[in-house]
C-alpha cells in the first residue's frame, strides 16, 4: 500500500475522516507523540493497528476524544475524581483509566474491565477526531519496541507501506507519551509518568500512588497494572547503559571506556569534557527539554551507528520522572552506580 504524508488542511482532515470511517488507519499528530488511529468502535479496524505495529494483542489501547461529553459512552462510571482530573488537565497529555462501558470492543481493552481515555490538545488531532465522528483508538505510531515517533518522518520510517495516510502536524511539543493514571483502583494510581506530573495530579485529587512498575523492573510473571509496562520499550539498536553519579564521575567513566562505537547521551554541561561522540538530552535542570528530546535523541544514536551508549541518569522529580521511566526501559534497566 502507498503511504501519503499530508499537511494539516480541511481536505486532509476530510480524507482522514473518510479513511477512518471506512475502517482504515491514519497516522495522527498529538502534543505527546504521533498516534496510529482507528475507529475505536470498529473491532476489525482496531485489529489492523496491532498488525501494522506488530503489537501483542494483550496490550490495550488509549481511546482519543475531542470533547469531554464523549466520555459518557465509553465508561461505566465517570467518578468525581476522574471528572476533576478531566476538567483540570484536558485537553492535554493525561490519560485516565476508568471502568469501561459495554460499547468498547475487547480488542481496545485487551479484555480488561477498564478503558483508557485521553483528550489531546493538538488541534490537528482534534480535527481528525471530529472529521471521523467517532472516538479513535490509538497507540504510539512506531513499530512495537521502537521509540515513539515525535515527527511525521519517524512515523513514515516505521510504518510506510502499512498505513494509507499520515498527517504531518510538525514536531510533538511534549515529546513523551501521556501521563497514565487509573481511578479504577481504591487509591488512584500513576501507571506511566508524563507531561502532567504526579505532583500536579495530587494537587487536584489528593492521594495518588505510584505503581512499582514506574521505576522498577517487573518480574516476568508478575500481574501488571498496565500491560505496556512489561515490554522492553523505547529501545534504540545501541545498547544503552545508565550511569548514576555526578558530572565529573560520568565524564571520567565514559572517557575511560571510549572504544570505537561508544557514545554518550548526556547533559549539555557534560559535552565539553567528553572525548566520545555525544547527543545532548538538554540542560541538567530543564526536564521539559529532556522529555522533548529523548525519543528523537534515541533515534539519532542509531543514525550515528553507535553500539554502546552511556547515558546520564535523569532526576526523578517533576517531568524528570517521565524521562527516567522511559530511559531506564530503553536501557533494559541496566544501571551502573558510580558513587
Ligand atoms: O501520549 C500518548 O498516550 C500516545 C498518544 C498517541 O496519545 N499514546 C500511547 O499509546 O502512548 P500506547 O499504546 O503506546 O501506550 C498506552 C499505554 C500502554 O502501556 C497500555 O498498556 C496502557 O496505556 N493502557 C491502555 N489501556 C489500559 C487499561 N485499560 N488499563 C491499564 N493500562 C492501559
Ligand atoms: Mg507505545
Amino acid at each position: 500500500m502507498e503511504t501519503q504524508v499530508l499537511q494539516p488542511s480541511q481536505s486532509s482532515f476530510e480524507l482522514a475522516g473518510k479513511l477512518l470511517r471506512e475502517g482504515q488507519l491514519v497516522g495522527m499528530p498529538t502534543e505527546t507523540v504521533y498516534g496510529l488511529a482507528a475507529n475505536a468502535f470498529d473491532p476489525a479496524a482496531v485489529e489492523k493497528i496491532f498488525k501494522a505495529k506488530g503489537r501483542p494483542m494483550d496490550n490495550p489501547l488509549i481511546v482519543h476524544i475531542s470533547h469531554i461529553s464523549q466520555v459518557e459512552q465509553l465508561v461505566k462510571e465517570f467518578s468525581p475524581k476522574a471528572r476533576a482530573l478531566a476538567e483540570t488537565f484536558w485537553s492535554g497529555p493525561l490519560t485516565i483509566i476508568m471502568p469501561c462501558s459495554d460499547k468498547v470492543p475487547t480488542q481496545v481493552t485487551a479484555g480488561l474491565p477498564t478503558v483508557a481515555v485521553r483528550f489531546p490538545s493538538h488541534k490537528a488531532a482534534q480535527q481528525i477526531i471530529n472529521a471521523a465522528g467517532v472516538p479513535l483508538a490509538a497507540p504510539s505510531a512506531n513499530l512495537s519496541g521502537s521509540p515513539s515517533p515525535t515527527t511525521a518522518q519517524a512515523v513514515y520510517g516505521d510504518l510506510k507501506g502499512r498505513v494509507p495516510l499520515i498527517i504531518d502536524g510538525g514536531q510533538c511539543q511534549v515529546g513523551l507519551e501521556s501521563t497514565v493514571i487509573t481511578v479504577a483502583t481504591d487509591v488512584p494510581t500513576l501507571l506511566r509518568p508524563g507531561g502532567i506530573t504526579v505532583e500536579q495530579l495530587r494537587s487536584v485529587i489528593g492521594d495518588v500512588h505510584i505503581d512499582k512498575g514506574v521505576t522498577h523492573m517487573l518480574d516476568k510473571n508478575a500481574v501488571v497494572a498496565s500491560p505496556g509496562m512489561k515490554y522492553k520499550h523505547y529501545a534504540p539498536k545501541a545498547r544503552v547503559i545508565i550511569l548514576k553519579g555526578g558530572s565529573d564521575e560520568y565524564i571520567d567513566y565514559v572517557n575511560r571506556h571510549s572504544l570505537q562505537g561508544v557514545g554518550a547521551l548526556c547533559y549539555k554541561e557534560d559535552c565539553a569534557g567528553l572525548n566520545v561522540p555525544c547527543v545532548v538530552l538538554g540542560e541538567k535542570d530543564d526536564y521539559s527539554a529532556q522529555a522533548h528530546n529523548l525519543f528523537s535523541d534515541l533515534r539519532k544514536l542509531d543514525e550515528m551507528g553507535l553500539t554502546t551508549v552511556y547515558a546520564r541518569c535523569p532526576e526523578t522529580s517533576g517531568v524528570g520522572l517521565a524521562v527516567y521511566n522511559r530511559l531506564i526501559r530503553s536501557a533494559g534497566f541496566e544501571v551502573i552506580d558510580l558513587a
Side-chain angles (χ1 to χ4, degrees):
M1 135 185 354
E2 179 126 15
T3 301
Q4 261 189 295
V5 181
L6 297 178
Q7 294 301 309
S9 70
Q10 208 44 49
S11 63
S12 65
F13 294 143
E14 273 164 27
L15 176 60
K18 175 172 172 289
L19 289 168
L20 289 162
R21 280 193 304 277
E22 285 171 357
Q24 309 243 43
L25 308 182
V26 171
M28 167 175 83
T30 84
E31 73 279 16
T32 56
V33 300
Y34 275 73
L36 179 61
N39 176 355
F41 292 137
D42 180 345
V46 171
E47 274 173 19
K48 287 183 187 167
I49 293 177
F50 290 89
K51 235 177 249 144
K53 278 186 60 111
R55 180 181 176 104
M57 289 292 295
D58 68 350
N59 196 1
L61 306 175
I62 295 172
V63 179
H64 296 68
I65 58 175
S66 54
H67 199 278
I68 289 193
S69 64
Q70 289 171 301
V71 172
E72 307 283 354
Q73 58 189 322
L74 299 168
V75 305
K76 198 165 264 165
E77 193 202 352
F78 196 19
S79 70
K81 280 185 185 173
R83 205 175 275 276
L85 291 173
E87 281 166 4
T88 309
F89 298 112
W90 283 354
S91 60
L94 177 69
T95 296
I96 307 173
I97 295 180
M98 295 169 267
C100 76
S101 78
D102 301 335
K103 238 187 128 178
V104 184
T106 55
Q107 286 84 349
V108 171
T109 61
L112 294 173
T114 52
V115 62
V117 186
R118 162 161 139 74
F119 179 172
S121 64
H122 198 296
K123 292 296 169 230
Q126 295 178 1
Q127 299 268 30
I128 293 167
I129 300 164
N130 288 340
V134 284
L136 300 178
S140 50
N142 50 286
L143 289 174
S144 211
S146 297
S148 293
T150 54
T151 62
Q153 292 69 40
V155 179
Y156 187 79
D158 269 19
L159 297 178
K160 64 172 169 300
R162 295 169 185 248
V163 40
L165 176 63
I166 299 166
I167 302 288
D168 183 352
Q171 175 116 34
C172 299
Q173 178 221 331
V174 179
L176 290 182
E177 305 88 344
S178 60
T179 301
V180 178
I181 185 171
T182 176
V183 297
T185 44
D186 287 343
V187 179
T189 301
L190 178 80
L191 300 181
R192 183 174 73 182
I196 303 293
T197 65
V198 71
E199 294 86 346
Q200 286 175 292
L201 297 170
R202 285 175 179 150
S203 76
V204 175
I205 56 166
D207 205 9
V208 174
H209 287 173
I210 299 179
D211 193 272
K212 188 161 183 273
V214 168
T215 48
H216 290 83
M217 178 158 47
L218 295 168
D219 188 73
K220 250 202 210 101
N221 303 315
V223 177
V224 293
S226 184
M229 293 198 300
K230 72 182 177 210
Y231 297 105
K232 180 167 176 183
H233 234 185
Y234 318 111
K237 294 183 189 81
R239 175 180 175 196
V240 177
I241 301 163
I242 295 177
L243 302 182
K244 219 172 176 166
S247 183
D248 291 345
E249 296 145 353
Y250 173 77
I251 291 169
D252 180 60
Y253 186 95
V254 175
N255 286 345
R256 278 190 289 112
H257 293 79
S258 59
L259 299 168
Q260 180 75 25
V262 167
L265 179 62
C266 62
Y267 295 142
K268 193 165 178 217
E269 295 87 333
D270 304 322
C271 256
L274 290 166
N275 60 20
V276 300
C278 47
V279 172
V280 174
L281 198 50
E283 287 176 19
K284 182 174 184 299
D285 297 322
D286 192 348
Y287 305 151
S288 297
Q290 294 166 24
H292 180 81
N293 294 332
L294 180 67
F295 288 142
S296 52
D297 278 2
L298 293 177
R299 288 178 184 267
K300 220 178 282 170
L301 298 170
D302 281 339
E303 283 157 24
M304 290 163 69
L306 299 172
T307 49
T308 303
V309 173
Y310 293 110
R312 230 9 240 282
C313 186
E315 302 292 329
T316 54
S317 58
V319 176
L321 182 63
V323 180
Y324 179 81
N325 169 268
R326 305 309 191 279
L327 189 59
I328 197 158
R329 280 170 171 72
S330 69
F333 293 88
E334 197 173 354
V335 181
I336 298 176
D337 199 340
L338 300 176

